[in-house]
Amino acid sequence: MPIESAAIRGRGHLWLLLPAAMLASLWLAWLSLARLDFLYPAFYPLLDIQAHIEEFGPQNRYKASFENTTPAEHKRLFGAIVTAIHDSGRGLDALIYHDPHGQPIDTLLREPEIGHLHDVARLIDVIAPAGWLAVAWILIHLGLLRWRRWPVPRLSRLVGVSLVATTTVVLVVLAIGAKRVFYWLHDLVFPPDHPWFFFYQESLMTTLMKAPDLFGAIAAALLLLGLILYACLLWLATRLPERGRTKASC
């Protein structure tokens, strides 16, 4: 009887499990994609970024000859930016682009772009503790599920509810407009006196990333991988109490 009563009271744990699982999944998905440079090498041909650079490189008002750089150089530069924003912005001012013969041409970033990327790095530094806390709580929670045998609904029900919630959010974003939401989040997160919007003609960073097209592709990949990891965590959550019961009955 005490075990059954504890199990009934334990249903409230789902209000902590599901949000923490989603946050942990998104954070682990972010870290995984960061190790792969957010799939920039894969998106590069899909978004025809080379042609984009060849078109807008010559139009840049501040930097010259970026259109003469190679796809390998573009991927190296993007990877260097990814590394820097996960290292508190270190090294951003030292990024230099080279011609096909390896000769340096110019620094990649201007001061406003460096400032924005430092803002991005600070944002990641702020989010990181919450992400790791969510991961730690999920590990603790999974242990409690096995130990206390808290009740968990069927996996199909948990996934169904989560998909409905995710689909609702996606539909709302699409209804408002993904670009409008993207700009609103930037206005919300970054200091109002720090520029974050740059035209292709004034920013090699924006040209290199073919923003915001690349960001949309990265967001889709992040959401997809996050949902896969989330489903795996929910599967574990539904299996552990059963394994605990089996072990107890033996």
Side-chain angles (χ1 to χ4, degrees):
M1 184 68 177
I3 292 178
E4 182 180 355
S5 300
I8 294 174
R9 291 196 302 270
R11 291 183 184 278
H13 74 95
L14 293 174
W15 293 105
L16 292 175
L17 172 65
L18 297 183
M22 179 56 73
L23 178 56
S25 299
L26 289 174
W27 177 240
L28 292 176
W30 174 276
L31 293 177
S32 300
L33 290 176
R35 294 294 297 271
L36 300 173
D37 289 339
F38 293 102
L39 301 179
Y40 183 81
F43 291 136
Y44 188 90
L46 292 176
L47 298 176
D48 204 6
I49 293 178
Q50 182 176 2
H52 178 77
I53 291 173
E54 290 173 353
E55 177 182 357
F56 288 99
Q59 299 181 35
N60 194 281
R61 304 187 186 106
Y62 305 100
K63 305 285 183 176
S65 301
F66 192 63
E67 67 277 8
N68 297 327
T69 53
T70 64
E73 180 71 348
H74 306 154
K75 295 167 188 176
R76 182 191 71 81
L77 291 168
F78 184 85
I81 291 175
V82 171
T83 299
I85 63 174
H86 288 88
D87 189 28
S88 301
R90 293 182 180 88
L92 288 170
D93 56 348
L95 289 181
I96 296 174
Y97 58 98
H98 302 77
D99 66 20
H101 304 291
Q103 297 300 313
I105 299 176
D106 198 353
T107 54
L108 178 71
L109 304 170
R110 297 169 49 242
E111 284 301 321
E113 298 162 88
I114 293 173
H116 172 60
L117 290 174
H118 273 289
D119 286 339
V120 173
R122 280 190 287 269
L123 179 61
I124 294 173
D125 288 342
V126 169
I127 292 174
W132 287 120
L133 182 63
V135 172
W137 170 245
I138 285 300
L139 294 176
I140 294 171
H141 204 126
L142 292 176
L144 289 172
L145 287 175
R146 174 113 184 229
W147 175 45
R148 299 298 299 272
R149 286 177 281 167
W150 285 339
V152 179
R154 292 177 180 273
L155 178 62
S156 57
R157 183 178 178 186
L158 289 176
V159 172
V161 170
S162 302
L163 284 178
V164 168
T166 303
T167 302
T168 300
V169 172
V170 171
L171 290 177
V172 169
V173 170
L174 292 177
I176 297 173
K179 186 178 291 187
R180 181 178 297 180
V181 172
F182 175 76
Y183 289 165
W184 173 76
L185 287 174
H186 275 65
D187 287 334
L188 179 68
V189 170
F190 297 120
D193 57 336
H194 291 198
W196 56 263
F197 181 88
F198 305 97
F199 291 102
Y200 294 137
Q201 291 83 357
E202 62 185 15
S203 168
L204 292 184
M205 175 188 72
T206 307
T207 301
L208 175 71
M209 299 180 184
K210 198 180 180 182
D213 296 11
L214 177 66
F215 300 147
I218 291 175
L222 180 65
L223 179 60
L224 178 60
L225 181 55
L227 287 175
I228 292 172
L229 294 174
Y230 179 71
C232 291
L233 289 176
L234 294 187
W235 179 81
L236 280 174
T238 57
R239 292 290 295 168
L240 287 174
E242 293 179 6
R243 292 175 63 88
R245 282 191 290 272
T246 301
K247 184 176 180 180
S249 63
C250 296

